Amino acid sequence: MKTKLLKELVKPMGMKKLYSLPEDELIELIKRDWRIDDVPDFLYKMFKVSKTFTDGRPVFKIEPKGGASDRVIVFIHGGGGMLCPTIFHFHTAARLVRNTGAALYMPFYPLAPEHTLPEACAWLDKAYEDITSRHSPKNIAVIGDSAGVSLGVSMCERSGKKPSAMVIISPGAGIEKNDEKMRALEKKDVIISCRMVDIIKKYWSGEMSADDSAYNSAYTDFTGFPPILLYYGTNEIFYAYIGDVINEIRRFDIPLEIHEGKGLFHDWAIVGMLPEGKQAQNRICRFILENTEG
């Protein structure tokens, strides 16, 4: 099966192996080898790519060469608040632009260990304000994966300009707990380890409270939020507490469409070479077209 093969391919290149290194070696490696300041060449060849800056940090805009529709996607990448976007993020961005005709913004927010979560939140608030000063919220969809979920959800919670659609992929449910329920799933999760969560909390959380929505989306005030499309896998440690996020969204009567990837790993929905990932991304495109004006 292609899914089983890909799990074996992901394992040696994944974050789980990276975060098994001694802590001092890990931090040096992240600062040296896991920092980029541009998007890949293939995006420049396929699309029109431009770059603006918010407080000195880049926000990339990717749109069809023939011009974008009025639709806008704000894609906030995951990586535990410590890693830059991966090739999977960039290929997902390409499919989103190609299939929706939208202009996609990818903000390169501040990362740990050089920066903290409160700094990233403050910067994203400014970047989102810049975007919404040029585009109507009725045209905007916000997408986040992993750490990008809590960043995107909390950004929208703080903003008076809610988007018209939101996609959340493998949110870090229960990250403040990191307990035996999560450890029981650790062997199944080929991407995330409980040690990784501890390190991320140490370097990323800063002075942020564990019950802040930027830390865990289960603590979000979803008042005024748009329809939400949710993806997660049963083989990720955050599966232990995904119900908390689902229950909180439902408490606010927000339209919610759920896709549970049985036997699938953290962030599988952004891995387009997986048949399940390709199907997820095609549904995400349709969801954006259905819920935004263009």
Side-chain angles (χ1 to χ4, degrees):
M1 291 289 291
K2 189 173 181 180
T3 301
K4 292 181 179 179
L5 175 61
L6 185 66
K7 286 169 70 174
E8 293 306 309
L9 292 174
V10 169
K11 194 181 298 183
M13 61 167 282
M15 293 188 288
K16 193 169 186 177
K17 183 176 181 181
L18 176 68
Y19 279 84
S20 68
L21 294 171
E23 189 171 322
D24 57 346
E25 185 178 340
L26 165 68
I27 297 303
E28 287 304 312
L29 183 65
I30 286 175
K31 291 192 290 187
R32 186 183 70 240
D33 296 342
W34 288 78
R35 294 291 178 263
I36 58 175
D37 58 8
D38 207 343
V39 300
D41 288 342
F42 80 86
L43 289 176
Y44 283 94
K45 294 176 181 177
M46 294 175 63
F47 305 105
K48 178 184 175 183
V49 178
S50 56
K51 178 169 61 172
T52 58
F53 292 89
T54 297
D55 286 354
R57 299 193 64 86
V59 178
F60 290 90
K61 183 182 182 183
I62 305 163
E63 54 188 325
K65 285 188 174 181
S69 68
D70 289 336
R71 289 187 173 89
V72 170
I73 299 169
V74 181
F75 187 8
I76 303 176
H77 71 86
M82 299 185 77
L83 304 180
C84 291
T86 67
I87 194 65
F88 296 120
H89 293 101
F90 295 124
H91 278 293
T92 298
R95 177 172 274 123
L96 293 173
V97 174
R98 187 171 59 244
N99 289 5
T100 65
L104 183 144
Y105 289 90
M106 183 173 281
F108 277 31
Y109 56 86
L111 298 169
E114 299 93 335
H115 303 279
T116 62
L117 176 55
E119 292 176 78
C121 289
W123 184 85
L124 278 168
D125 287 350
K126 292 181 181 180
Y128 187 65
E129 181 60 34
D130 287 345
I131 293 169
T132 55
S133 70
R134 298 191 293 273
H135 303 281
S136 169
K138 68 183 181 182
N139 304 121
I140 296 176
V142 173
I143 300 177
D145 71 284
S146 193
V149 172
S150 51
L151 286 168
V153 165
S154 65
M155 176 189 77
C156 293
E157 180 187 32
R158 291 187 298 271
S159 175
K161 300 175 181 178
K162 301 290 191 286
S164 291
M166 175 160 279
V167 181
I168 59 178
I169 300 168
S170 290
I175 193 169
E176 80 287 2
K177 299 180 178 69
N178 205 22
D179 59 12
E180 66 280 356
K181 290 184 180 180
M182 295 168 70
R183 286 192 289 274
L185 291 164
E186 193 170 16
K187 287 184 179 180
K188 294 182 179 181
D189 195 329
V190 297
I191 305 293
I192 305 290
S193 68
C194 290
R195 180 176 187 265
M196 175 182 172
V197 171
D198 282 334
I199 291 173
I200 289 170
K201 287 161 63 176
K202 177 179 178 180
Y203 288 95
W204 177 234
S205 60
E207 299 301 316
M208 188 72 72
S209 169
D211 60 359
D212 193 289
S213 59
Y215 204 71
N216 184 342
S217 301
Y219 299 111
T220 304
D221 180 349
F222 284 100
T223 301
F225 267 62
I228 294 173
L229 179 61
L230 168 63
Y231 287 89
Y232 61 89
T234 60
N235 282 9
E236 54 178 303
I237 61 175
F238 301 132
Y239 178 64
Y241 290 102
I242 190 66
D244 293 348
V245 178
I246 292 171
N247 290 338
E248 188 66 9
I249 296 171
R250 285 176 170 162
R251 191 169 72 85
F252 286 84
D253 294 324
I254 303 300
L256 175 63
E257 180 179 326
I258 299 172
H259 293 268
E260 179 178 277
K262 295 190 183 302
L264 291 175
F265 49 83
H266 182 75
D267 249 7
W268 62 271
I270 70 161
V271 183
M273 66 182 75
L274 266 181
E276 297 94 336
K278 181 179 180 180
Q279 183 179 26
Q281 290 176 26
N282 288 338
R283 174 58 191 138
I284 290 168
C285 292
R286 294 196 304 273
F287 182 80
I288 291 169
L289 293 172
E290 292 164 2
N291 289 285
T292 59
E293 296 184 14

